[in-house]
Coordinates of all heavy atoms in Angstrom, one line a residue:
D281 N -56.3 26.8 22.4 CA -57.4 25.9 22.8 C -57.3 24.6 22.0 O -57.3 24.6 20.7 CB -58.7 26.6 22.6 CG -59.9 25.8 23.0 OD1 -60.4 24.9 22.2 OD2 -60.4 26.0 24.1
K282 N -57.3 23.5 22.6 CA -57.2 22.2 21.9 C -58.3 21.9 20.9 O -58.0 21.5 19.8 CB -57.1 21.0 22.9 CG -56.8 19.7 22.3 CD -56.8 18.6 23.4 CE -55.8 18.9 24.5 NZ -55.8 17.8 25.5
L283 N -59.5 22.2 21.3 CA -60.7 21.9 20.4 C -60.7 22.8 19.2 O -60.9 22.4 18.1 CB -62.0 22.0 21.2 CG -63.3 21.8 20.4 CD1 -63.2 20.5 19.6 CD2 -64.5 21.9 21.2
V284 N -60.4 24.1 19.5 CA -60.3 25.1 18.3 C -59.2 24.6 17.4 O -59.4 24.7 16.2 CB -60.0 26.5 18.9 CG1 -59.7 27.4 17.7 CG2 -61.2 27.0 19.7
N285 N -58.0 24.3 17.9 CA -56.9 23.8 17.1 C -57.3 22.6 16.2 O -57.0 22.6 15.0 CB -55.7 23.5 17.9 CG -55.0 24.7 18.6 OD1 -55.3 25.8 18.2 ND2 -54.2 24.4 19.6
V286 N -57.9 21.6 16.8 CA -58.3 20.5 16.1 C -59.4 20.8 15.0 O -59.3 20.3 13.9 CB -58.8 19.4 17.0 CG1 -59.5 18.2 16.2 CG2 -57.7 18.8 17.9
T287 N -60.3 21.6 15.4 CA -61.4 21.9 14.4 C -60.9 22.7 13.2 O -61.3 22.4 12.1 CB -62.5 22.7 15.1 OG1 -63.0 22.0 16.3 CG2 -63.7 23.0 14.2
K288 N -60.0 23.6 13.4 CA -59.5 24.4 12.3 C -58.6 23.5 11.5 O -58.6 23.5 10.2 CB -58.7 25.6 12.9 CG -59.6 26.7 13.4 CD -58.7 27.9 13.9 CE -59.6 29.0 14.4 NZ -58.8 30.2 14.9
A289 N -57.7 22.7 12.1 CA -56.8 21.8 11.4 C -57.6 20.8 10.6 O -57.2 20.4 9.5 CB -55.9 21.1 12.4
N290 N -58.7 20.3 11.1 CA -59.5 19.3 10.4 C -60.1 19.9 9.2 O -60.2 19.3 8.1 CB -60.7 18.9 11.4 CG -61.5 17.8 10.8 OD1 -61.0 16.8 10.3 ND2 -62.8 18.0 10.8
A291 N -60.6 21.2 9.2 CA -61.2 21.8 8.1 C -60.1 22.0 7.0 O -60.3 21.8 5.8 CB -61.8 23.2 8.4
T292 N -58.9 22.4 7.4 CA -57.8 22.7 6.5 C -57.4 21.4 5.9 O -57.1 21.3 4.7 CB -56.7 23.4 7.2 OG1 -57.1 24.7 7.7 CG2 -55.5 23.6 6.2
Y293 N -57.3 20.3 6.7 CA -56.8 19.0 6.2 C -57.8 18.5 5.1 O -57.4 18.0 4.1 CB -56.8 18.0 7.4 CG -56.5 16.6 7.0 CD1 -55.2 16.2 6.8 CD2 -57.5 15.7 6.8 CE1 -54.9 14.9 6.4 CE2 -57.2 14.4 6.4 CZ -55.9 14.0 6.2 OH -55.7 12.7 5.8
T294 N -59.1 18.6 5.4 CA -60.1 18.2 4.4 C -60.0 19.0 3.1 O -60.1 18.4 2.0 CB -61.5 18.3 5.0 OG1 -61.6 17.4 6.1 CG2 -62.5 17.8 4.0
A295 N -59.8 20.3 3.2 CA -59.7 21.1 2.1 C -58.5 20.8 1.2 O -58.6 20.6 0.0 CB -59.6 22.6 2.5
N296 N -57.4 20.5 1.9 CA -56.1 20.1 1.2 C -56.3 18.8 0.5 O -55.8 18.5 -0.6 CB -55.0 20.1 2.1 CG -54.6 21.5 2.6 OD1 -54.9 22.5 2.0 ND2 -53.9 21.6 3.7
S297 N -57.0 17.9 1.2 CA -57.2 16.5 0.7 C -58.1 16.6 -0.6 O -57.9 15.9 -1.6 CB -57.9 15.6 1.7 OG -57.1 15.5 2.8
L298 N -59.1 17.4 -0.6 CA -60.0 17.6 -1.7 C -59.3 18.0 -3.0 O -59.6 17.6 -4.1 CB -61.1 18.6 -1.4 CG -62.3 18.1 -0.5 CD1 -63.2 19.3 -0.2 CD2 -63.0 17.0 -1.2
A299 N -58.2 18.8 -2.8 CA -57.5 19.3 -4.0 C -56.7 18.1 -4.7 O -56.2 18.3 -5.8 CB -56.5 20.3 -3.5
E300 N -56.6 17.0 -4.0 CA -55.9 15.8 -4.6 C -56.7 14.6 -4.8 O -56.2 13.5 -5.1 CB -54.7 15.5 -3.6 CG -53.7 16.7 -3.4 CD -52.6 16.3 -2.5 OE1 -52.7 15.2 -1.9 OE2 -51.7 17.1 -2.3
M301 N -58.1 14.7 -4.6 CA -58.9 13.5 -4.6 C -59.7 13.4 -5.9 O -60.3 14.4 -6.4 CB -59.9 13.6 -3.5 CG -59.3 13.4 -2.1 SD -60.5 13.5 -0.7 CE -61.5 12.1 -1.0
G302 N -59.6 12.3 -6.6 CA -60.4 12.0 -7.7 C -59.9 12.6 -9.0 O -59.0 13.4 -9.0
P303 N -60.6 12.3 -10.1 CA -60.2 12.8 -11.4 C -60.8 14.2 -11.8 O -60.4 14.8 -12.8 CB -60.7 11.8 -12.4 CG -61.9 11.3 -11.7 CD -61.7 11.4 -10.2
I304 N -61.7 14.7 -11.1 CA -62.5 15.9 -11.5 C -62.0 17.2 -10.9 O -61.7 18.2 -11.5 CB -64.0 15.7 -11.2 CG1 -64.5 14.6 -12.1 CG2 -64.7 17.0 -11.5 CD1 -66.0 14.2 -11.9
V305 N -61.8 17.2 -9.6 CA -61.5 18.4 -8.8 C -60.1 18.8 -9.0 O -59.8 20.0 -9.3 CB -61.9 18.3 -7.3 CG1 -61.4 19.5 -6.6 CG2 -63.4 18.1 -7.2
P306 N -59.0 18.0 -8.8 CA -57.6 18.4 -8.9 C -57.3 19.2 -10.2 O -56.6 20.2 -10.1 CB -56.9 17.1 -8.8 CG -57.8 16.2 -7.9 CD -59.1 16.6 -8.4
P307 N -57.6 18.7 -11.4 CA -57.3 19.4 -12.6 C -57.8 20.9 -12.6 O -57.2 21.8 -13.1 CB -57.8 18.6 -13.7 CG -58.0 17.2 -13.2 CD -58.3 17.4 -11.7
R308 N -59.1 21.0 -12.1 CA -59.7 22.3 -12.1 C -59.1 23.2 -11.1 O -59.0 24.4 -11.3 CB -61.2 22.2 -11.8 CG -62.0 21.6 -13.0 CD -63.4 21.3 -12.7 NE -64.2 21.0 -13.8 CZ -64.3 19.8 -14.5 NH1 -63.5 18.8 -14.0 NH2 -65.1 19.7 -15.5
V309 N -58.6 22.6 -10.0 CA -57.9 23.4 -9.0 C -56.5 23.9 -9.6 O -56.2 25.1 -9.4 CB -57.6 22.6 -7.7 CG1 -56.7 23.4 -6.8 CG2 -58.9 22.3 -7.0
K310 N -55.8 23.0 -10.3 CA -54.5 23.4 -10.9 C -54.7 24.5 -11.9 O -53.8 25.3 -12.1 CB -53.9 22.2 -11.4 CG -53.4 21.2 -10.3 CD -52.8 20.0 -11.0 CE -52.3 19.0 -9.9 NZ -51.7 17.8 -10.4
S311 N -55.8 24.4 -12.7 CA -56.0 25.4 -13.7 C -56.6 26.7 -13.2 O -56.6 27.7 -13.9 CB -57.0 24.9 -14.8 OG -58.3 24.8 -14.2
G312 N -57.0 26.8 -12.0 CA -57.5 28.0 -11.4 C -59.0 28.2 -11.6 O -59.6 29.2 -11.1
D313 N -59.7 27.2 -12.2 CA -61.1 27.2 -12.4 C -61.9 27.0 -11.1 O -63.0 27.4 -11.0 CB -61.6 26.3 -13.5 CG -61.0 26.6 -14.9 OD1 -60.9 27.8 -15.1 OD2 -60.7 25.7 -15.7
V314 N -61.3 26.2 -10.2 CA -61.9 25.9 -8.9 C -60.9 26.3 -7.8 O -59.7 26.0 -7.9 CB -62.3 24.4 -8.8 CG1 -62.7 24.0 -7.4 CG2 -63.4 24.1 -9.8
K315 N -61.5 26.9 -6.8 CA -60.7 27.2 -5.6 C -61.3 26.5 -4.4 O -62.5 26.4 -4.2 CB -60.7 28.7 -5.4 CG -59.8 29.2 -4.2 CD -59.9 30.8 -4.1 CE -59.0 31.3 -3.0 NZ -57.6 31.1 -3.3
I316 N -60.4 26.0 -3.5 CA -60.8 25.3 -2.3 C -60.3 26.1 -1.1 O -59.1 26.4 -1.0 CB -60.4 23.9 -2.2 CG1 -60.8 23.1 -3.5 CG2 -60.9 23.2 -1.0 CD1 -60.3 21.7 -3.5
V317 N -61.2 26.5 -0.2 CA -60.7 27.2 1.0 C -61.3 26.5 2.3 O -62.3 25.9 2.2 CB -61.2 28.7 1.0 CG1 -60.5 29.4 -0.2 CG2 -62.7 28.8 0.9
S318 N -60.7 26.7 3.4 CA -61.2 26.2 4.7 C -61.6 27.4 5.5 O -61.1 28.5 5.4 CB -60.1 25.4 5.4 OG -58.9 26.1 5.6
A319 N -62.5 27.2 6.4 CA -63.1 28.3 7.3 C -63.5 27.7 8.6 O -63.6 26.5 8.8 CB -64.3 28.9 6.6
Y320 N -63.7 28.7 9.5 CA -64.1 28.3 10.9 C -65.2 29.3 11.3 O -65.0 30.5 11.4 CB -62.9 28.4 11.8 CG -63.1 28.2 13.3 CD1 -63.2 26.9 13.8 CD2 -63.3 29.2 14.2 CE1 -63.4 26.6 15.1 CE2 -63.6 29.0 15.5 CZ -63.6 27.7 16.0 OH -63.8 27.4 17.3
Y321 N -66.3 28.7 11.7 CA -67.5 29.5 12.1 C -67.6 29.6 13.6 O -67.7 28.6 14.2 CB -68.7 28.9 11.4 CG -70.0 29.5 11.9 CD1 -70.2 30.9 11.8 CD2 -71.1 28.7 12.4 CE1 -71.4 31.5 12.2 CE2 -72.3 29.3 12.8 CZ -72.4 30.7 12.7 OH -73.6 31.2 13.1
E322 N -67.6 30.8 14.1 CA -67.7 31.0 15.5 C -69.2 31.2 15.9 O -69.8 32.2 15.5 CB -66.9 32.2 16.0 CG -67.1 32.6 17.4 CD -66.8 31.5 18.4 OE1 -65.7 30.9 18.3 OE2 -67.7 31.1 19.2
L323 N -69.8 30.2 16.6 CA -71.2 30.3 16.9 C -71.6 31.5 17.8 O -72.7 32.0 17.6 CB -71.6 29.0 17.7 CG -71.5 27.7 17.0 CD1 -71.7 26.5 18.0 CD2 -72.5 27.6 15.9

């Protein structure tokens, strides 16, 4: 399903981007103090 594919990929893309954005989150992700995950909620 095209919409499902885009929605899931969009959540994952944002999650991956957060792991590399700014000076605060990335170091904590690398150290294991912070974890970023993506998810899909079925209404």
